Amino acid sequence: MSAPVTTLSFEDALSELERIVRGLEGGQLKLEDAIAAYERGSELRRHCDSKLGEAEMRVRAIVQKNNGTTGTEALADNHEIGQ
């Protein structure tokens, strides 16, 4: 039996999701198994999206202020870091 989705780390959920996708793409699953795998994959995708959203909320860019001190600032909404 698979672990409850909510208990999985992002990495574990993503790994399981990748296995499910490979299985579905292989086309060797019985219909009921494919449906169950798709449902589990949907849950895993939502969980991964949630974990990424949480991480994004926590990420802060370090900025140096005019007085020489450093602080944190929320990332820009455009997500163009490194560009």
Side-chain angles (χ1 to χ4, degrees), residues 58-72:
R58 294 174 53 195
V59 173
R60 300 286 183 248
I62 297 174
V63 294
Q64 186 167 11
K65 299 177 182 179
N66 289 335
N67 64 6
T69 62
T70 58
T72 59

Side-chain angles (χ1 to χ4, degrees), residues 5-58:
V5 171
T6 57
T7 65
L8 297 175
S9 68
F10 173 81
E11 293 80 9
D12 290 341
L14 184 59
S15 178
E16 184 178 343
L17 181 56
E18 289 170 343
R19 283 192 303 275
I20 288 171
V21 169
R22 283 192 301 273
L24 290 171
E25 287 177 342
Q28 301 300 314
L29 297 174
K30 293 180 181 180
L31 179 59
E32 287 302 316
D33 294 336
I35 291 170
Y38 183 86
E39 290 171 344
R40 175 75 175 182
S42 292
E43 287 181 72
L44 290 163
R45 184 199 56 80
R46 284 190 301 274
H47 181 67
C48 287
D49 284 346
S50 175
K51 288 287 188 185
L52 285 174
E54 291 170 12
E56 185 176 3
M57 295 291 287
R58 294 174 53 195

